[in-house]
Amino acid sequence: KLCEGILNILEKDTKTSCQVACLEALRILSRDKKVLVPVTTKRNMQILMRLAKLDNVEDPLERVSEFPVIVEALKCLCNIIFNSSVAQQLSFELNLAATLCNLLQKCKDQQCVDDIKCFDLRLLFLLSLLHTDIRSQLRQELQGVQVLTQALESSLSVRWTEEYKAAEDRDRPPLSLQETDCAIEALKALFNVTLDSWNVHSKNESHQFRYMAAILRHCLLTTGPTEDKTEELHSNAINLLSNVPVSCLDVLINPSSQEETDIKYNGMNMGAIQILLDFMEKRIDKGSSYREGLTPVLSLLTECCRTHRNIRKFIKAQVLPPLRDVSNRPEVGTTVRNKLVRLMTHVDLGVKQIAAEFLFVLCKERVDSLLKYTGYGNAAGLLAARGLLAGGRGDHWYSDDEDTDTEEYKSAKPNINLITGHLEEPMPNPMDEMTEEQKEYEAMKLVNMFDKLSRDELIKPMGVRPDGTMAPLEETVSQYHTNKQESSDSD
């Protein structure tokens, strides 16, 4: 009854202060799903849309006194659409996405409208998240990618020096809280609208994504008002970069000019890549929520390294520098390599796979190189999954430049344990002082133990096929005998 009463008042032309008070009350009530039934009707949704200036009229936003009403109406719509599937369907029927894009264009060149813009973007994010038809409508009919990209560019105040290269002002103050929130909401909405964008079908699409990637590079080099807000901004930028076709990610590195003092490699500015690496290490050190917090940045770095040679060589120089001290196991220590190797045996399968894949790509998908840095024990899971237990390399092609081993590594290499990946002191052979009968007894004892474990199905003996994949031991043994007979020279 209270909701219906409030909406009846809002339908009439009342004073601004009265409208704001009614909308504030409705915003609080709309958090409760049980009271949303009277709100989620076409008439009442249209009342809120009218108050939020969600119409196709081209009049600019001029009356500053109306801004609080617009903001409160947008907040109410956010709550209602988030909590009601009926409201989500009504939004599609009332073409709410188109009116939101229109309001966003009105905000484009206006001052003092950051709150309106922020909640407009939040509403677009919710609609694109909760209704797949609206997501498609934004992408195909409403030029949502272009509209949202412009909103992001405006929030970050990007200035261009060249095509796909934004000006880097080192003395620029951090973004304000409102600017940061607007940028985050734009990033989240763009993420939904650009899902499944791996294939670029036209030159125009390629330009749009490269333009977006250039803005995202600027976003990574930008800081927010607090450390937490900066991390949230960068996290959403990384999520969106994961949707950008990998062929367009070369704009993350630009030819470095003389006056720039940023991190350089082969004449390229690697500032954004360094921020991605720092972000990855920070998320590893956090020690929790790896699947949500760490896998997006690891996936992004893996794809960048697989496709762009300069990025791969720059990252490898930091993550897998030439080995010198091999006295400790690869997973022991505080370097980035140690941290990533520890993740290769993580309990979460997705985290384990992406960490191993990242290191494998840095090693140009060469098994011998991966084993050098990680040890066979840590790499076994990846090699088994890829059918590379017999050695070799992955399917992807990389440049032919070879790694050069340090003198320290070359001298230690004969004594490195291939399973653990570190230098071990020679151990005394326990069989040296045994008689032949004792050796035979211990061997049979071991055979019987394995036989019992196998018969009780506690373990399943496996072997490696010639192609590097695993199979039951009986199959691999019989295949070995067959191959031996076929290759014999007997008549």
Side-chain angles (χ1 to χ4, degrees), residues 51-256:
L51 291 168
K53 298 294 180 187
L54 293 174
D55 48 46
N56 291 313
V57 180
E58 297 301 325
D59 295 339
L61 299 172
E62 291 178 343
R63 293 175 59 187
V64 177
S65 61
E66 291 181 342
F67 288 2
V69 176
I70 298 170
V71 171
E72 284 300 327
L74 287 169
K75 287 179 181 178
C76 287
L77 285 168
C78 285
N79 282 355
I80 292 163
I81 286 166
F82 180 71
N83 286 316
S84 170
S85 56
V86 176
Q88 292 159 25
Q89 187 56 40
L90 280 170
S91 301
F92 182 61
E93 293 171 17
L94 293 168
N95 207 14
L96 182 57
T99 59
L100 284 166
C101 288
N102 189 49
L103 180 61
L104 207 54
Q105 294 286 9
K106 291 180 189 178
C107 295
K108 188 177 176 184
D109 301 315
Q110 296 275 330
Q111 299 298 320
C112 308
V113 291
D114 280 346
D115 279 341
I116 296 174
K117 184 177 173 183
C118 186
F119 287 104
D120 185 316
L121 289 165
R122 184 169 297 177
L123 201 43
L124 280 169
F125 160 67
L126 288 171
L127 289 170
S128 59
L129 173 71
L130 299 168
H131 203 300
T132 52
D133 290 338
I134 293 178
R135 187 188 307 162
S136 301
Q137 183 190 23
L138 276 167
R139 175 79 189 268
Q140 294 162 13
E141 298 171 27
L142 302 173
Q143 295 184 313
V145 175
Q146 186 175 344
V147 170
L148 290 166
T149 303
Q150 286 173 352
L152 176 63
E153 180 184 352
S154 169
S155 300
L156 297 170
S157 304
V158 180
R159 292 185 299 104
W160 299 101
T161 56
E162 311 172 15
E163 188 180 34
Y164 309 134
K165 186 172 182 180
E168 295 178 28
D169 185 359
R170 301 178 195 286
D171 300 323
R172 181 187 168 188
L175 294 176
S176 69
L177 184 59
Q178 281 185 319
E179 289 171 331
T180 309
D181 284 338
C182 277
I184 288 170
E185 295 301 333
L187 289 167
K188 285 155 60 178
L190 271 169
F191 176 82
N192 291 339
V193 176
T194 56
L195 280 171
D196 308 318
S197 299
W198 285 99
N199 294 319
V200 172
H201 299 292
S202 68
K203 189 175 181 181
N204 185 51
E205 266 192 319
S206 176
H207 164 73
Q208 188 66 53
F209 280 113
R210 291 170 79 83
Y211 178 65
M212 185 194 299
I215 296 172
L216 291 173
R217 178 184 183 276
H218 179 79
C219 188
L220 289 172
L221 297 170
T222 302
T223 56
T226 65
E227 191 176 337
D228 286 345
K229 274 294 176 185
T230 301
E231 187 176 344
E232 187 182 355
L233 179 69
H234 290 174
S235 177
N236 282 288
I238 288 164
N239 290 343
L240 181 52
L241 276 169
S242 301
N243 286 353
V244 175
V246 71
S247 59
C248 302
L249 291 176
D250 58 335
V251 297
L252 289 177
I253 55 174
N254 289 316
S256 184

Side-chain angles (χ1 to χ4, degrees), residues 88 133 257 409 486:
Q88 292 159 25
D133 290 338
S257 57
Y409 179 77
E486 288 175 355

Side-chain angles (χ1 to χ4, degrees), residues 271-287:
I273 304 300
Q274 184 63 54
I275 285 169
L276 291 176
L277 278 172
D278 294 341
F279 184 91
M280 175 196 74
E281 188 171 7
K282 191 174 180 181
R283 284 293 168 96
I284 294 174
D285 292 341
K286 227 175 197 177

Side-chain angles (χ1 to χ4, degrees), residues 394-463:
D395 300 328
H396 200 77
W397 182 88
Y398 294 87
S399 56
D400 291 331
D401 53 307
E402 295 296 327
D403 297 326
T404 54
D405 293 332
T406 61
E407 291 301 321
E408 295 94 329
Y409 179 77
K410 286 178 181 176
S411 61
K413 190 175 180 179
N415 298 318
I416 292 176
N417 183 324
L418 295 178
I419 301 299
T420 61
H422 82 298
L423 188 65
E424 290 185 349
E425 293 297 324
M427 300 289 287
N429 189 344
M431 299 181 72
D432 285 346
E433 298 178 2
M434 287 187 183
T435 63
E436 291 301 317
E437 290 79 8
Q438 286 174 317
K439 291 178 185 178
E440 188 175 343
Y441 171 78
E442 291 296 335
M444 288 309 299
K445 185 177 172 183
L446 191 60
V447 168
N448 290 332
M449 287 166 66
F450 273 113
D451 183 53
K452 185 176 186 306
L453 288 169
S454 179
R455 278 188 283 107
D456 293 343
E457 296 188 352
L458 292 171
I459 64 167
K460 186 173 185 180
M462 304 289 282

